[in-house]
Amino acid sequence: MPGPAKKDEEAQSALQTPWARFMTDDEYYPFLIKKALRPAFWRWQDLYPRLNKVGKDPVRRADRRFISLVSDDTGEAGGALPSLFIGIQYINPGEHILPHRHNSYAIYHIIKGKGYSILDEERFDWEVGDTLLCPPMASHEHFNNGDEEAIQFVVQDMPARAMDRNLIWEEPIGNVFHMVEGKGAPHQDQD
Amino acid sequence: MPGPAKKDEEAQSALQTPWARFMTDDEYYPFLIKKALRPAFWRWQDLYPRLNKVGKDPVRRADRRFISLVSDDTGEAGGALPSLFIGIQYINPGEHILPHRHNSYAIYHIIKGKGYSILDEERFDWEVGDTLLCPPMASHEHFNNGDEEAIQFVVQDMPARAMDRNLIWEEPIGNVFHMVEGKGAPHQDQD
Amino acid sequence: MPGPAKKDEEAQSALQTPWARFMTDDEYYPFLIKKALRPAFWRWQDLYPRLNKVGKDPVRRADRRFISLVSDDTGEAGGALPSLFIGIQYINPGEHILPHRHNSYAIYHIIKGKGYSILDEERFDWEVGDTLLCPPMASHEHFNNGDEEAIQFVVQDMPARAMDRNLIWEEPIGNVFHMVEGKGAPHQDQD
Amino acid sequence: MPGPAKKDEEAQSALQTPWARFMTDDEYYPFLIKKALRPAFWRWQDLYPRLNKVGKDPVRRADRRFISLVSDDTGEAGGALPSLFIGIQYINPGEHILPHRHNSYAIYHIIKGKGYSILDEERFDWEVGDTLLCPPMASHEHFNNGDEEAIQFVVQDMPARAMDRNLIWEEPIGNVFHMVEGKGAPHQDQD
């Protein structure tokens, strides 16, 4: 939006919360309207080599390996859609993704391999074609107990929760934080 | 996020939809985490002079007059909260806000004056302290039939609908459009 | 919630909109709290025979065939999660799902087979492992041009849009309606 | 929806999570479509006597007094809209609403009286016409330090958070819980 006149700006900066703006109707609508989302296409032939590389990396910040499908058109929101995360999770044979939980949900559709997940205290053994729903605040951990890579198509509402600033995370179990800048982050202590 | 290496960028630009990105887990979390929202305070003593000025302006783009309360912390989302619009609507005696409708809802809490609204075909006569809910897709028009200014505290989910790119608008009645860049806008033809 | 006393009920029914209730704080919280969602698990071995049956049915109301994964715990909301639809779409060789559009988004992850989709006017040829995003209000149609069944794992925000009563649908192209009771429905004219 | 045949029901009950259903396209759409929301009108003349009564009650479960405006049309969701809570909060002179916090936001528009709020550690002194935003997870407490009743028009996204089962609450400070059935509730221990 066009900047306000200097006098207005001085008045604004004298307020208790100067980031609390007043916008007229003529200013507001242009500001409200967002860039249109275009169709987006992520092909397996482009994805798989990246997944494979992530699978061979040493595990760094996170104890997990995934490739997220993100459309640039979502801007700040940061997802496949402004409200939705799509991630392709990769688990090597013998690997274990440690328990954590959050108030965003997760859906796991199995693309390849076999293994099991523990949601709260219940075990679910999965293989190709199965779909497992982890509800908000259920702790979850995943194991690949097969002989080949396991790949999951994962759907979460993390971007909506992050945009609304109501994302609550617990990782490792016992370490609860509000996921906004400056309040905590997964794995930040590992830098 | 840090830019990709040149070779990756070339591969990306060769895709059918080059805006469809692949991000690793290490890249994704820092991107996901948003600025914390601070408390925001809009005082009547700062708002009322602006409202009064808007009330005296000739009506320009819109046929309505309002001041929206926007926190800079909401970034692109653009509202009092990332998902919520607060507007203070001002109607001079004798003024009529023409019928329009949209799939965002609107709540009108009357702060000052008296008048009536027509929602679809039903008339609601309001005065100070009343709260009127206009559901998604109900057409609405407002009249000030009193002797003094009428002021409404208005709550809408426009920012959530705009961010999700699912905001549908009809104004004037008969002119339906998807409110994203390039597809239409209220009053744009009046520039 | 416990019913109100008779005198209150008479006063309520005399209001212009008697469905507009007043609840005290003591009444509200118990009403607000919802049933916890349990983990839910849909196995391919249970899903595939149902898909296969749907694939052999004559097409009835819809011109499309899918099995939706719904958790009973979502109650009225009606989805895999209260805000999310998961459907497994099945397309026989040679079948064509006719163009339609809506303000809910759709993500198609290909589980089996090959074919193509036309989003607005662009063609996307897909095969197993590909993921295609159809943004809100883009028209979409799907073709199976392979020799075997095509199966898509489909993610949509229909339940959130339906619950918020802001779901707008156009099917066939040219027939726009607000998807709430009494205002229209896909394929209802085919009963 | 019509009940399934007996044989199907037996197969369903044998699953690891029998509440995880499979619905065909013909079953799903009728289930998805919700009751239309009608306009709703809450008049001050009907609200104020109720507020006044709540103001004179001994404080029971909660340490706060409010009347929520709820439309019956929202069904399970339970708000003025399926995603939105409107409450009219009443504070007697000298009363203090104790600090608590949650991942739903709150907006306070002052209708009557004067007082102050402490959000995290900052004090905001308010009077009629002022609007104060408390962001997700900020602790908040309110004081009426005037000579007459203080009344706030309060807007929150509690119903959306409760429906999505991602509502996190902390009350009193130090007692964090996930607000779903069986996991905790404000003030339940005071029965």
Side-chain angles (χ1 to χ4, degrees):
Chain A
M1 53 180 154
K6 193 175 176 199
K7 191 179 150 196
D8 289 349
E9 200 52 30
E10 280 172 12
Q12 189 70 25
S13 67
L15 301 181
Q16 187 173 354
T17 58
W19 49 88
R21 297 276 167 189
F22 300 93
M23 296 177 72
T24 68
D25 44 274
D26 284 334
E27 291 163 345
Y28 188 72
Y29 285 116
F31 176 55
L32 173 73
I33 298 174
K34 301 292 178 294
K35 182 179 174 56
L37 300 179
R38 290 166 289 182
F41 194 26
W42 294 272
R43 304 213 62 178
W44 184 252
Q45 66 190 38
D46 300 309
L47 169 61
Y48 188 70
R50 287 169 166 88
L51 266 184
N52 218 266
K53 188 176 162 213
V54 162
K56 293 195 174 106
D57 274 353
V59 170
R60 287 179 296 175
R61 286 165 166 260
D63 64 342
R64 46 198 180 271
R65 309 165 183 280
F66 67 76
I67 297 282
S68 182
L69 310 184
V70 177
S71 166
D72 283 352
D73 290 348
T74 62
E76 275 181 19
L81 284 148
S83 61
L84 201 80
F85 165 90
I86 301 286
I88 315 297
Q89 186 153 264
Y90 187 100
I91 317 174
N92 284 304
E95 280 188 340
H96 172 200
I97 297 174
L98 296 173
H100 58 283
R101 61 184 198 143
H102 33 71
N103 71 335
S104 46
Y105 61 72
I107 288 182
Y108 303 92
H109 175 76
I110 310 306
I111 293 179
K112 198 170 180 203
K114 53 181 283 194
Y116 65 96
S117 299
I118 296 178
L119 306 188
D120 285 338
E121 300 187 357
E122 186 170 3
R123 174 172 168 157
F124 296 90
D125 284 87
W126 38 256
E127 57 188 16
V128 174
D130 293 348
T131 301
L132 176 62
L133 159 66
C134 176
M137 296 312 287
S139 102
H140 45 286
E141 53 189 312
H142 309 288
F143 301 80
N144 179 345
N145 63 353
D147 298 325
E148 58 162 358
E149 61 194 8
I151 303 180
Q152 303 168 326
F153 182 86
V154 186
V155 179
Q156 297 199 33
D157 61 337
M158 278 194 300
R161 300 287 68 77
M163 184 57 78
D164 285 345
R165 276 70 163 186
N166 53 29
L167 183 55
I168 308 296
W169 206 272
E170 186 170 353
E171 185 171 6
I173 297 297
N175 178 38
V176 181
F177 56 93
H178 179 198
M179 205 194 271
V180 292
E181 281 179 13
K183 295 286 177 70
H187 329 295
Q188 60 181 355
D189 54 324
Q190 296 172 30
D191 274 328
Chain B
M1 54 180 154
K6 193 175 177 198
K7 191 180 150 195
D8 290 349
E9 200 51 31
E10 278 171 15
Q12 189 69 26
S13 67
L15 301 181
Q16 186 172 356
T17 59
W19 49 88
R21 297 277 168 189
F22 300 93
M23 297 176 71
T24 68
D25 44 272
D26 284 333
E27 290 163 346
Y28 188 73
Y29 285 116
F31 176 54
L32 173 74
I33 298 174
K34 302 291 179 292
K35 182 180 174 55
L37 301 179
R38 291 166 289 182
F41 194 26
W42 295 272
R43 304 213 61 179
W44 184 252
Q45 67 190 36
D46 300 309
L47 169 62
Y48 188 70
R50 286 171 167 85
L51 267 183
N52 217 266
K53 188 177 163 212
V54 162
K56 292 196 173 106
D57 275 353
V59 170
R60 289 178 297 175
R61 285 162 166 262
D63 64 343
R64 45 199 181 272
R65 309 165 183 281
F66 67 76
I67 297 283
S68 181
L69 310 184
V70 177
S71 167
D72 283 352
D73 290 347
T74 61
E76 277 182 16
L81 284 148
S83 61
L84 200 80
F85 165 89
I86 302 287
I88 314 297
Q89 186 152 266
Y90 186 100
I91 317 174
N92 285 303
E95 280 188 339
H96 172 200
I97 297 173
L98 295 173
H100 58 284
R101 60 184 198 142
H102 34 71
N103 71 335
S104 47
Y105 62 71
I107 288 181
Y108 303 92
H109 175 76
I110 311 306
I111 293 179
K112 199 170 179 202
K114 52 182 286 195
Y116 66 97
S117 299
I118 296 178
L119 306 189
D120 285 336
E121 300 186 358
E122 185 170 4
R123 174 172 168 156
F124 296 90
D125 284 87
W126 39 255
E127 57 189 16
V128 174
D130 293 349
T131 301
L132 177 62
L133 159 66
C134 176
M137 295 312 286
S139 100
H140 45 287
E141 53 190 312
H142 309 288
F143 301 80
N144 178 347
N145 63 352
D147 298 325
E148 58 162 358
E149 61 194 7
I151 303 179
Q152 303 168 326
F153 182 87
V154 186
V155 179
Q156 297 198 35
D157 61 337
M158 279 195 297
R161 301 285 68 75
M163 183 57 76
D164 285 345
R165 276 70 162 187
N166 53 30
L167 183 56
I168 307 296
W169 206 272
E170 185 170 352
E171 185 170 6
I173 297 297
N175 179 38
V176 181
F177 56 93
H178 180 198
M179 205 194 270
V180 292
E181 282 179 13
K183 295 286 178 69
H187 328 296
Q188 61 181 355
D189 54 323
Q190 297 172 30
D191 274 327
Chain C
M1 52 180 154
K6 193 175 174 198
K7 192 179 148 196
D8 289 350
E9 200 51 28
E10 279 171 13
Q12 190 70 25
S13 68
L15 301 180
Q16 186 172 355
T17 58
W19 49 88
R21 298 275 167 190
F22 300 94
M23 296 178 71
T24 67
D25 44 274
D26 284 334
E27 291 163 346
Y28 188 72
Y29 285 116
F31 176 56
L32 173 73
I33 298 174
K34 301 292 179 292
K35 183 179 173 55
L37 301 178
R38 290 166 289 182
F41 194 26
W42 295 271
R43 303 212 64 177
W44 185 252
Q45 66 191 38
D46 301 308
L47 169 62
Y48 188 69
R50 287 168 166 87
L51 266 183
N52 217 265
K53 189 178 161 210
V54 161
K56 291 194 173 108
D57 275 353
V59 170
R60 288 179 296 174
R61 286 164 167 260
D63 64 342
R64 46 200 179 270
R65 309 164 184 280
F66 66 75
I67 296 283
S68 182
L69 309 184
V70 176
S71 167
D72 284 351
D73 290 347
T74 62
E76 277 181 15
L81 283 148
S83 61
L84 201 80
F85 165 89
I86 302 286
I88 314 297
Q89 186 153 264
Y90 186 101
I91 316 174
N92 284 304
E95 280 187 341
H96 172 201
I97 297 174
L98 296 174
H100 58 283
R101 61 184 197 142
H102 34 72
N103 71 335
S104 46
Y105 61 72
I107 289 181
Y108 304 92
H109 175 75
I110 310 306
I111 293 179
K112 198 169 179 203
K114 52 180 283 193
Y116 65 96
S117 300
I118 296 179
L119 306 189
D120 285 336
E121 300 185 356
E122 186 169 3
R123 173 173 169 155
F124 296 90
D125 284 87
W126 38 256
E127 57 189 15
V128 174
D130 293 349
T131 301
L132 177 62
L133 160 67
C134 176
M137 296 311 288
S139 102
H140 45 287
E141 54 190 312
H142 309 289
F143 301 79
N144 179 345
N145 63 351
D147 299 325
E148 58 162 358
E149 60 194 8
I151 303 181
Q152 303 168 327
F153 182 86
V154 186
V155 179
Q156 296 199 33
D157 61 338
M158 279 195 296
R161 301 286 68 77
M163 182 58 76
D164 285 345
R165 275 72 162 185
N166 53 30
L167 182 56
I168 308 296
W169 207 271
E170 186 170 351
E171 185 170 7
I173 296 298
N175 178 38
V176 181
F177 57 93
H178 180 198
M179 206 195 271
V180 292
E181 281 180 12
K183 296 286 178 69
H187 328 298
Q188 59 181 357
D189 54 323
Q190 297 172 32
D191 274 326
Chain D
M1 52 180 152
K6 194 176 174 198
K7 192 180 149 195
D8 289 350
E9 200 52 29
E10 278 170 16
Q12 189 70 25
S13 66
L15 302 180
Q16 186 173 356
T17 59
W19 49 88
R21 299 273 167 191
F22 300 93
M23 297 177 71
T24 68
D25 45 274
D26 284 334
E27 292 163 344
Y28 188 74
Y29 285 117
F31 175 55
L32 173 73
I33 299 175
K34 301 291 179 294
K35 183 181 173 53
L37 300 179
R38 290 166 289 182
F41 194 26
W42 295 271
R43 304 213 60 177
W44 185 251
Q45 67 191 36
D46 300 309
L47 169 62
Y48 188 69
R50 286 169 166 87
L51 266 184
N52 217 266
K53 188 177 162 213
V54 161
K56 291 196 174 107
D57 275 352
V59 170
R60 288 179 297 175
R61 285 163 167 261
D63 63 341
R64 46 198 181 273
R65 308 164 184 281
F66 66 76
I67 296 284
S68 181
L69 310 184
V70 176
S71 167
D72 283 352
D73 290 348
T74 61
E76 276 181 17
L81 284 147
S83 61
L84 200 79
F85 165 89
I86 302 286
I88 315 297
Q89 185 152 265
Y90 186 101
I91 315 174
N92 285 303
E95 280 187 339
H96 172 201
I97 297 173
L98 296 174
H100 58 283
R101 60 184 197 141
H102 34 73
N103 72 334
S104 46
Y105 61 71
I107 289 182
Y108 304 92
H109 175 75
I110 311 304
I111 293 179
K112 198 169 179 203
K114 53 181 282 195
Y116 65 96
S117 300
I118 297 178
L119 306 189
D120 284 336
E121 300 185 357
E122 186 170 3
R123 174 174 168 155
F124 296 90
D125 285 86
W126 40 256
E127 58 189 14
V128 174
D130 293 349
T131 301
L132 177 62
L133 160 66
C134 176
M137 295 311 288
S139 101
H140 44 289
E141 53 190 314
H142 310 288
F143 301 81
N144 179 346
N145 63 352
D147 299 325
E148 57 161 0
E149 60 194 8
I151 303 180
Q152 303 167 327
F153 182 86
V154 186
V155 179
Q156 296 198 33
D157 62 338
M158 278 194 298
R161 300 286 69 76
M163 183 58 76
D164 285 346
R165 275 70 163 188
N166 54 30
L167 182 55
I168 308 296
W169 206 271
E170 186 170 352
E171 185 170 7
I173 297 297
N175 179 39
V176 181
F177 56 95
H178 180 200
M179 206 195 270
V180 292
E181 282 179 12
K183 295 286 178 70
H187 328 298
Q188 58 182 359
D189 54 324
Q190 297 171 31
D191 273 327

